[in-house]
Amino acid sequence: MGGGTFNEFFSIFIGAFCGGVGNYLFVFISAWFLCEEPFSLKRLLKIWKQVLFYSIIIGVFFFIKKIPTIGFYDRDLYDSVGFFNAAKPIGKIDLIRSFLPVLMGNNWFATCYIVFCLFIPILNDLTSVIERKKHFYLIAVMAILGTVVSFVPGQGMLHPSNLYYFITAYFIASYIKKYNPPIFNNPVKNILIGFLICVFCGLWNCALNYFSESYKAVDFFKEWLLLGNINKFPILLASVFIFCGFVKMKPFSNRIINLIASTTFGVYLIHVNGFLKIFIWHKILLCDSFADSPAYPLYLLASSLIVFIVCSLIDLFIRQPLTVFVGYIRNCLSRYFYHEE
């Protein structure tokens, strides 16, 4: 794709806020429900089993079929030419890693989320006794150190891990739930502000990309000034407003929405799998073949929708029924051996 094309700017614009905002929203939602609930090891094991299920199934399938794909160590090849030149069947080491997805950190978000859940009991105890001013102070310090200082090139003050941002999000969500700040009481206003911040992030990244090709100074600072990841303050701010917008809406329940929502984590685990994600976009959907086409924006959006629908159906009609069946067999065996004794 040539530099400065509309399609390139479109990709940069969309990518500026989709990942970071989505990650924050998932943690905000989790923290909202977990901050006042007792720790549940059963719930944590359920998440771990879901991560393990997809990692093993996909890893074994690619290993047995010897499907050429990008391995765990070749994740930077996002173009089709690079894919076809470097694609190779996964080896035994990669297969072993598939059986240890959390320990090996094959999926950064899932791994970080499970570790984050282990801290929930301590975080709950802390937020239950901490004063409001100190709670706000804690949020301010963590946000500034984690998302404002990161704009300084070469800063050596703090290099936090992803877990740091998950905990920051927890403190924010628990503060909003506990104290209900008036600034977030208008749901429409919240969503609008969040959306406008996202638009700003997208336009900002497009401008950086454009000027970095002509000015070396801009190109040097580009790495620290790009917006999109969870370590940037505008992304955190947009996520907070969007989250509060939906939280402050009038409560309602819809069976279809709830059903789709139950598959979202499974959708994530499938389409970002280290073996599968590049294979989907560059072998199945061939997105790069549309890179210079006027239809690229529409094709990219349609492809994303198709991936979501297919992965959602896989989780709904394969993983969930299989999990129920395995649980039923386990209960039957437990009752049988219990009666035998």
Side-chain angles (χ1 to χ4, degrees), residues 9 12-13 16-17 151 196-212 218 221-228 232 234-235:
F9 286 132
I12 293 172
F13 180 82
F17 50 84
F151 284 105
L196 290 177
I197 296 175
C198 288
V199 171
F200 167 78
C201 293
L203 294 176
W204 174 269
N205 282 4
C206 288
L208 275 179
N209 185 73
Y210 178 80
F211 288 108
S212 65
V218 177
F221 289 102
K222 181 179 176 181
E223 177 183 352
W224 292 279
L225 296 179
L226 279 174
L227 304 176
K232 299 302 180 184
I235 298 300

Side-chain angles (χ1 to χ4, degrees), residues 101-159:
V102 177
L103 182 62
M104 296 292 103
N106 297 341
N107 182 311
W108 78 266
F109 183 87
T111 299
C112 191
Y113 184 77
I114 289 175
V115 175
F116 163 71
C117 288
L118 294 174
F119 286 88
I120 290 296
I122 300 174
L123 295 175
N124 284 351
D125 289 344
L126 176 60
T127 54
S128 66
V129 298
I130 192 172
E131 298 175 0
R132 179 171 182 172
K133 289 184 178 180
K134 291 183 179 179
H135 195 159
F136 183 82
Y137 174 79
L138 180 61
I139 292 172
V141 170
M142 293 190 72
I144 292 171
L145 292 179
T147 66
V148 177
V149 174
S150 64
F151 284 105
V152 181
Q155 65 87 15
M157 187 175 183
L158 184 66
H159 296 282

Side-chain angles (χ1 to χ4, degrees), residues 32 173 175-191 240-252:
W32 182 266
Y175 182 90
I176 294 171
K177 186 172 186 179
K178 190 174 182 179
Y179 300 110
N180 191 27
I183 190 176
F184 299 121
N185 283 343
N186 190 320
V188 176
K189 182 180 178 181
N190 289 338
I191 294 176
V240 170
F241 276 104
I242 293 174
F243 169 72
C244 289
F246 286 99
V247 164
K248 297 301 180 179
M249 285 185 176
K250 185 178 180 179
F252 73 96

